Amino acid sequence: MRQKIYDNHRTIGATRRMWCFLFILTGLLTGMANRSYGARQPSPTSFDCKVQPYYKYRKDGKPGREITLKFNGGKLYGPATITVDCNSVKEETKVNETTGVSELSVLLPANAGLDNDCQARISVITPENELYRSVIVPQKRQWTVYIYPHSHVDIGYTNTQQFVKNLHNKDIEVGIELAKKTQNYPEGSRFIWNPEALWVTDNYLKQATPEKKKEFIEAVKKGWICLDGDYDNSNTSACSDEELLNLFHKSHEIQQLTGVPISTMVQFDVPGASWGITQAAFQNGIHTFIEFSNLGTVRKPWENHPFYWVAPDGKTKILFIQAFPYGYGYTVKGSKIGIGRVQGQIPGIDRISTKDPTADFLDPLIFDETAKLEEAGSPYDIFVMPWALADNSYIDTDLPDAVRLWNEKYAYPKLIIAGAKRIAHDFESRYGSIFPEIKGDYSEYWTDGLGSDAKRVGLNRVATENIVQSETAWAMLNHNQPAPRELVNESWRYALLGAEHTWGYSNPAAPMAKGIEQTKASYFENAYKTSNELLKKTFAAVEDPGSNKIAIFNTLSWNRSGLITLSKEQSKAGDRVVDEKGKTVMSQRLSTGELVFWASDIPALGTKTYAIKAGAAKKGRGCRLNGNTISNGIFSVTVDPKSGDISSLTDLKTGHEFVDSKSQYGMNSYLYLLGKDSSDKTQPAYDIVLKIKEKGPLVTTIAVQSKAPGCNWLTREVRVVLNQPWVDLTNSFDKIGTRTKEGIHFSFPFDIANGTTRMDIPWGTMIPEYDQLPGGNRNWLTYLHWVDISNSNAGVTWTSIEAPLIEMGSITANLPGGAHGAANWYKTLPKSQTLFSWALNNHWNTNFPLEQGGLINLHYAIMPHQAYDATAAQHFGLEENRPLLAVPVKEKPATNSWVKIGNPKVLISILKQSDNGKGMVLRLRSMSDKPEKVDLSWTDGKPHKLYSCLADEKPIAEINGDQTILPNGTISYYFEP
């Protein structure tokens, strides 16, 4: 019993102790609960909803829109049930927030809010409270963002040209290494590298070891390296027809090496592009053009508005995509890392990586930009943007991980690292059926920089014409001998590097700038030098420097006449000139010691010979001189002795006066602008002296000598030639170098009532405003061979050999804001019959030389006429730019004219030996706005096979009958004799 009682007491004690422990524990837990669940903390009284601009992956793997709930009045503690009711789908989620939260996120049912706005009804039920909220979820598309990784190719902008070349070579090797490392990453985050310009690829392959070259080719085949077809980022509107075709020449060579087709081109930095790029790209198998323009320039109306860009022929077209401007990567990341590091200024670094790849990345940019597009009603769910840490920068090796982590976090926007071919394919396959077709010139902006080195720009323009003439003359003379193809290609390479948009160092005042500018200058000088070497090689087999017999070569496709100028040495035999039939032709010994004579009816793609003999020049009625007025029987020109300007240009047959006497500007008037002075503050030439330089009868010239602001001296020569239907002007000045902002213009106000302006551009003709795309430059324009202003009765065709920049109506080059002052630029171009040759400037504070000095010669010509004739305008422009070539020979050279064009509205752009040396290439250009029959006839019989081809010169289809050329179109043929 005692034992039993003892056990009972022990049990009771244990029970009491247990209850005591439980009581204490309960008290502790209750206290904790009171603290945790809000006995002393307020519960939420409401919540706000923020609809996020992205989708995340739901548990079922589908994308759901995220909404962030932000609680008001207190944190959410403990268990809660969150219910989302949207699009007739109700989903419930239970949470238990033991530590309390101020906000949490929920995902809507799959694809809710994708096609239209929707309502989301959200409830939060807790033991203490029931909270409800309804929110409208605005429509949000599921965007795909294509990222084009690159390093902007600015050849010399950030360092010497050689340093830049080495940096881009290293980028290729790092790019291949990174692509290999990430090849097993999820789709979209696998790295690919875009060298951007084939200048980079060309340089890399030239210095690569056989092993490295093989590795590169394999990388291209695997898609790790994606190639685009243009050689560099060029001012395309400053290129000639054939030069623009040669922008893609290197792509054919590299395609053959890799076996991978190249069908895209990209253009960085330069806003706009010549309309002629459509034809040039298509001829080279390029079907998509993606432009990543400079961040600070005009972005509308074409950004994220792709279209099929239709060529002047009305049929040929390429896809044009203006993507997000380049430079964002530098703004958000590269600038924080440091420009020296990303541009290779620190030894031992050849790539960029950070501890957190997601830092300084694409949010909020992607959310903001896609929201703008949706608000604007864009029909596309694709956004394209480039990624580089700076101009000429090392690769951001964080990119693949940044993209991978982004895509793990977000379902949409989905990021894809891609090249231009993938971007174009995906864009076109999804939306090609709704892309509009657009015609017109996207007139470039950066071309004002052409005026920063007027002398060398002139050399480049002459060089590109020399190359075409030498190729055509080689075909006429040496068709059985291989053409000097390496020298031809080298000449084009130098010309393209001249047209490339980089001219100098980022800081032109820095010590490094001078060397970079000298290297750039060498491109122009070498283009000119090698083009003249080509001409010399072409005529080497027939030239006899000591001969008094002169062969005149016509490299154009129509019979022509023209003034021939021989040096004193070439004409030492005498002043008398006789033709092949022994007939004496009119000649004249000039005050310079040169001898000139008129060569008549030189056959198309043919020659005539003349002999220089002892005796006096043939005399006859020729040009007339009457005080300060000269005439050649076709028109008269009067020079104002007070200003030195042309005060009258009169058609002697119709009596039409072509000088607008009411204009505030004179004809061929020198206009100097300082700083930001407006056009009404131009400073003219002064201390005018008129001299008769040549008195005829074949040539009569008035020389206007003067002083001029910004120059040591200025001379303007006005020349007329007997039988020549245009007046020649030569404006020469000795420029004083200065870093004060300045500009030199020559004005040409024409009296042609309601005249329409037309311009020759690469592979087309453009009417300013009418043929210009919205957003294109209207403040200054660049033309190729001629500008015409005409009404139905009268007009003039005008050209400048060396200076390609013009302004219409008024001088607008000194607008405040300079290159980035978009708000001040013309939105529309007023119709005017006054044009200005913008000869030179130093307006830029970066990239271009701060000053230029020395002797500069500019040649102009004005051809009065009646109604506009496109063929006559093109004949005039080409004859001025591709003059008759005079070569001393022992005997008349045997030539092959090959082919004649029976339709005068169809011209030969070039006749050349094919690159493979086995055949010939004939390229035609139409000057008609209607379809035209080509009307080919072969002087030595039709080739045994004639094929159509493109610029790659590969035969496509055999041609058996005559072809029709499209309006303003082009056709290329390949044939073997």
Side-chain angles (χ1 to χ4, degrees):
M1 179 67 67
R2 290 176 61 186
Q3 181 64 40
K4 186 177 181 179
I5 292 173
Y6 175 79
D7 289 340
N8 286 339
H9 278 283
R10 187 169 60 183
T11 301
I12 292 171
T15 302
R16 286 177 177 173
R17 287 194 298 272
M18 182 186 69
W19 280 108
C20 182
F21 173 76
L22 290 174
F23 178 80
I24 294 171
L25 180 61
T26 302
L28 290 171
L29 292 173
T30 301
M32 291 175 63
N34 287 339
R35 286 192 295 273
S36 299
Y37 296 149
R40 290 193 296 270
Q41 294 288 335
S43 297
T45 57
S46 65
F47 64 91
D48 295 321
C49 294
K50 181 180 180 180
V51 181
Q52 300 293 357
Y54 47 76
Y55 293 80
K56 287 188 174 180
Y57 285 111
R58 296 155 39 89
K59 291 181 180 180
D60 59 8
K62 297 179 180 179
R65 192 73 172 277
E66 183 173 279
I67 297 180
T68 301
L69 312 183
K70 184 175 182 180
F71 297 104
N72 303 315
K75 293 184 177 181
L76 178 68
Y77 290 91
T81 300
I82 302 175
T83 303
V84 176
D85 186 348
C86 183
N87 279 0
S88 302
V89 177
K90 184 178 289 187
E91 297 183 335
E92 185 178 281
T93 303
K94 293 187 180 296
V95 298
N96 191 1
E97 301 293 344
T98 58
T99 58
V101 293
S102 297
E103 62 180 49
L104 56 78
S105 295
V106 297
L107 296 180
L108 297 184
N111 298 325
L114 175 62
D115 298 322
N116 46 40
D117 295 354
C118 66
Q119 180 188 36
R121 292 151 49 86
I122 303 173
S123 65
V124 179
I125 310 299
T126 70
E128 292 82 18
N129 210 344
E130 296 182 1
L131 305 177
Y132 298 91
R133 188 65 187 264
S134 176
V135 62
I136 298 299
V137 179
Q139 178 187 4
K140 184 67 180 178
R141 301 179 196 163
Q142 295 175 352
W143 286 86
T144 301
V145 178
Y146 291 91
I147 301 174
Y148 180 98
H150 72 114
S151 172
H152 174 44
V153 181
D154 238 335
I155 308 174
Y157 185 66
T158 59
N159 210 308
T160 66
Q161 286 86 349
Q162 185 60 50
F163 185 96
V164 169
K165 183 186 297 185
N166 294 340
L167 183 145
H168 284 285
N169 286 343
K170 189 61 182 179
D171 276 349
I172 286 181
E173 294 182 352
V174 172
I176 294 173
E177 179 185 329
L178 188 57
K180 183 176 182 180
K181 177 183 175 181
T182 60
Q183 62 180 312
N184 294 322
Y185 273 31
E187 199 278 333
S189 59
R190 300 163 194 159
F191 189 73
I192 64 98
W193 184 240
N194 298 289
E196 184 182 311
L198 288 184
W199 175 81
V200 174
T201 302
D202 187 29
N203 290 326
Y204 181 79
L205 292 173
K206 285 177 180 177
Q207 59 84 49
T209 64
E211 293 76 18
K212 290 289 185 183
K213 185 178 292 187
K214 180 180 179 182
E215 185 180 34
F216 176 85
I217 293 170
E218 287 302 311
V220 173
K221 290 179 182 295
K222 291 176 179 177
W224 296 354
I225 298 290
C226 296
L227 301 179
D228 298 300
D230 43 330
Y231 190 71
D232 55 31
N233 297 297
S234 283
N235 290 118
T236 54
S237 61
C239 294
S240 69
D241 290 344
E242 293 296 323
E243 183 181 8
L244 204 55
L245 286 178
N246 274 276
L247 181 63
F248 305 98
H249 186 269
K250 183 60 66 172
S251 68
H252 304 302
E253 178 184 320
I254 293 176
Q255 286 178 81
Q256 187 174 4
L257 176 69
T258 65
V260 178
I262 299 175
S263 60
T264 58
M265 68 170 291
V266 296
Q267 176 87 310
F268 276 84
D269 201 352
V270 184
S274 169
W275 192 6
I277 199 70
T278 53
Q279 190 65 264
F282 185 87
Q283 280 278 318
N284 283 279
I286 304 297
H287 300 292
T288 300
F289 177 2
I290 303 180
E291 181 176 274
F292 300 95
S293 64
N294 190 284
L295 186 61
T297 58
V298 177
R299 293 174 57 181
K300 294 183 178 180
W302 301 114
E303 186 177 316
N304 299 304
H305 292 80
F307 58 87
Y308 286 117
W309 198 357
V310 181
D313 67 12
K315 183 177 180 180
T316 303
K317 63 183 180 181
I318 62 173
L319 174 60
F320 181 84
I321 301 171
Q322 182 170 302
F324 190 76
Y326 94 100
Y328 181 78
Y330 170 75
T331 301
V332 299
K333 186 171 184 177
S335 58
K336 297 175 183 177
I337 293 172
I339 195 68
R341 184 180 176 194
V342 300
Q343 290 182 336
Q345 311 292 339
I346 300 176
I349 296 176
D350 64 4
R351 66 200 72 193
I352 303 299
S353 61
T354 65
K355 294 180 179 179
D356 182 4
T358 62
D360 305 317
F361 197 42
L362 295 185
D363 46 343
L365 172 82
I366 294 303
F367 305 133
D368 294 344
E369 292 297 322
T370 54
K372 292 176 186 176
L373 290 171
E374 291 193 36
E375 185 178 353
S378 171
Y380 313 117
D381 295 346
I382 290 176
F383 183 83
V384 180
M385 66 170 297
W387 184 260
L389 297 183
D391 298 340
N392 302 320
S393 66
Y394 280 139
I395 289 177
D396 179 11
T397 60
D398 288 342
L399 182 62
D401 287 312
V403 170
R404 176 179 59 82
L405 293 170
W406 174 290
N407 289 339
E408 288 175 359
K409 181 178 180 181
Y410 303 116
Y412 291 100
K414 184 185 299 294
L415 305 187
I416 297 177
I417 300 173
K421 187 181 293 187
R422 166 76 184 273
I423 294 168
H425 173 271
D426 290 5
F427 224 139
E428 193 166 21
S429 62
R430 290 178 61 182
Y431 300 112
S433 62
I434 63 172
F435 290 156
E437 292 191 351
I438 304 294
K439 294 180 69 175
D441 189 71
Y442 200 178
S443 308
E444 291 175 320
Y445 286 90
W446 278 188
T447 47
D448 55 333
L450 298 174
S452 68
D453 196 348
K455 181 177 181 178
R456 292 183 177 87
V457 168
L459 292 180
N460 223 43
R461 282 172 68 84
V462 172
T464 59
E465 302 299 335
N466 283 349
I467 300 170
V468 174
Q469 284 201 284
S470 66
E471 290 241 71
T472 303
W474 188 277
M476 294 163 57
L477 277 169
N478 302 295
H479 59 275
N480 291 323
Q481 299 294 323
R485 185 56 48 199
E486 288 186 10
L487 187 58
V488 170
N489 292 340
E490 191 73 350
S491 295
W492 281 125
R493 188 179 72 87
Y494 281 128
L496 288 169
L497 287 172
E500 195 264 337
H501 78 301
T502 318
W503 291 63
Y505 191 47
S506 57
N507 178 10
M512 183 182 290
K514 191 59 65 178
I516 294 172
E517 289 173 9
Q518 287 173 350
T519 300
K520 175 71 174 185
S522 73
Y523 300 149
F524 298 105
E525 293 164 356
N526 285 334
Y528 184 73
K529 177 183 175 182
T530 55
S531 72
N532 280 298
E533 287 177 10
L534 275 172
L535 286 171
K536 190 168 183 63
K537 277 182 176 289
T538 298
F539 296 112
V542 298
E543 187 175 17
D544 183 358
S547 175
N548 70 328
K549 185 174 289 187
I550 306 296
I552 307 302
F553 287 80
N554 176 13
T555 61
L556 299 176
S557 55
W558 59 90
N559 295 357
R560 59 185 289 205
S561 303
L563 187 72
I564 304 300
T565 304
L566 302 179
S567 69
K568 187 175 181 180
E569 178 64 23
Q570 288 176 319
S571 59
K572 63 183 179 181
D575 291 351
R576 181 169 168 253
V577 181
V578 297
D579 63 14
E580 293 174 344
K581 297 179 180 180
K583 180 181 178 181
T584 302
V585 301
M586 186 173 287
S587 60
Q588 178 182 336
R589 182 68 64 176
L590 301 181
S591 61
T592 60
E594 297 166 307
L595 181 72
V596 295
F597 67 92
W598 187 255
S600 300
D601 297 319
I602 310 300
L605 300 177
T607 62
K608 284 181 73 172
T609 56
Y610 293 82
I612 313 302
K613 296 190 174 184
K618 178 183 177 181
K619 297 186 181 296
R621 185 171 181 175
C623 297
R624 293 185 177 183
L625 171 65
N626 183 10
N628 55 331
T629 298
I630 55 178
S631 64
N632 65 351
I634 301 173
F635 53 80
S636 67
V637 186
T638 301
V639 179
D640 185 342
K642 293 183 179 179
S643 65
D645 303 342
I646 296 174
S647 58
S648 175
L649 175 58
T650 306
D651 186 313
L652 296 178
K653 182 178 181 180
T654 66
H656 185 96
E657 173 60 65
F658 289 94
V659 176
D660 184 0
S661 60
K662 297 179 182 179
S663 174
Q664 69 183 92
Y665 304 105
M667 181 70 70
N668 197 34
S669 178
Y670 176 89
L671 305 172
Y672 184 71
L673 278 176
L674 270 177
K676 294 183 179 179
D677 286 350
S678 59
S679 58
D680 59 356
K681 294 183 180 180
T682 55
Q683 302 177 45
Y686 59 96
D687 290 351
I688 309 297
V689 176
L690 266 59
K691 290 186 176 181
I692 305 302
K693 185 176 180 181
E694 311 297 346
K695 298 182 180 180
L698 185 56
V699 173
T700 303
T701 304
I702 295 178
V704 182
Q705 298 176 344
S706 66
K707 295 180 180 179
C711 301
N712 290 313
W713 52 262
L714 166 70
T715 298
R716 289 170 286 170
E717 293 187 4
V718 182
R719 183 180 80 171
V720 298
V721 178
L722 186 66
N723 298 321
Q724 180 178 276
W726 59 80
V727 56
D728 293 317
L729 310 174
T730 301
N731 296 343
S732 304
F733 47 89
D734 184 12
K735 183 71 187 62
I736 300 171
T738 177
R739 295 193 174 188
T740 302
K741 297 305 176 187
E742 61 176 352
I744 290 178
H745 311 252
F746 291 95
S747 56
F748 296 88
F750 294 108
D751 188 1
I752 303 168
N754 299 312
T756 295
T757 301
R758 296 173 177 86
M759 295 169 51
D760 179 39
I761 61 173
W763 298 113
T765 301
M766 188 262 282
I767 299 176
E769 192 59 43
Y770 176 74
D771 283 322
Q772 286 184 274
L773 297 185
N777 190 6
R778 275 122 171 105
N779 289 84
W780 56 87
L781 301 171
T782 312
Y783 75 98
L784 183 51
H785 290 129
W786 53 267
V787 179
D788 186 273
I789 305 174
S790 301
N791 58 28
S792 57
N793 298 311
V796 295
T797 309
W798 174 97
T799 191
S800 169
I801 306 300
E802 296 89 359
L805 285 174
I806 63 169
E807 299 157 288
M808 302 297 300
S810 60
I811 296 175
T812 60
N814 286 32
L815 287 170
H820 293 280
N824 301 300
W825 293 339
Y826 272 155
K827 301 301 183 294
T828 58
L829 187 61
K831 191 171 184 178
S832 175
Q833 288 75 51
T834 297
L835 65 84
F836 300 85
S837 171
W838 190 9
L840 61 81
N841 71 82
N842 62 349
H843 288 177
W844 284 67
N845 293 309
T846 187
N847 189 40
F848 295 99
L850 293 177
E851 62 182 291
Q852 56 187 313
L855 179 63
I856 297 174
N857 295 305
L858 303 176
H859 297 87
Y860 301 90
I862 305 171
M863 182 175 71
H865 58 76
Q866 297 181 18
Y868 170 68
D869 183 327
T871 301
Q874 187 71 358
H875 282 192
F876 162 75
L878 283 174
E879 287 180 21
E880 281 290 276
N881 284 272
R882 299 181 194 171
L884 293 167
L885 300 172
V887 180
V889 295
K890 187 174 182 180
E891 56 186 5
K892 184 176 181 178
T895 59
N896 190 334
S897 59
W898 291 104
V899 65
K900 292 184 179 179
I901 313 297
N903 188 337
K905 296 180 180 180
V906 180
L907 317 173
I908 293 180
S909 173
I910 195 171
L911 172 65
K912 63 183 284 287
Q913 191 180 90
S914 61
D915 289 352
N916 63 17
K918 297 178 181 179
M920 304 292 292
V921 173
L922 172 67
R923 190 154 28 250
L924 307 179
R925 177 179 172 182
S926 173
M927 295 307 300
S928 173
D929 58 2
K930 298 178 177 62
E932 298 284 347
K933 290 290 185 183
V934 173
D935 195 11
L936 294 179
S937 61
W938 300 87
T939 56
D940 293 331
K942 184 178 177 181
H944 67 277
K945 284 191 177 180
L946 176 67
Y947 300 91
S948 63
C949 71
L950 296 175
D952 63 4
E953 304 180 1
K954 294 179 180 178
I956 298 174
E958 188 171 357
I959 305 299
N960 293 312
D962 198 8
Q963 282 192 298
T964 298
I965 191 169
L966 293 170
N968 298 299
T970 182
I971 290 179
S972 294
Y973 298 95
Y974 173 87
F975 63 93
E976 295 181 5

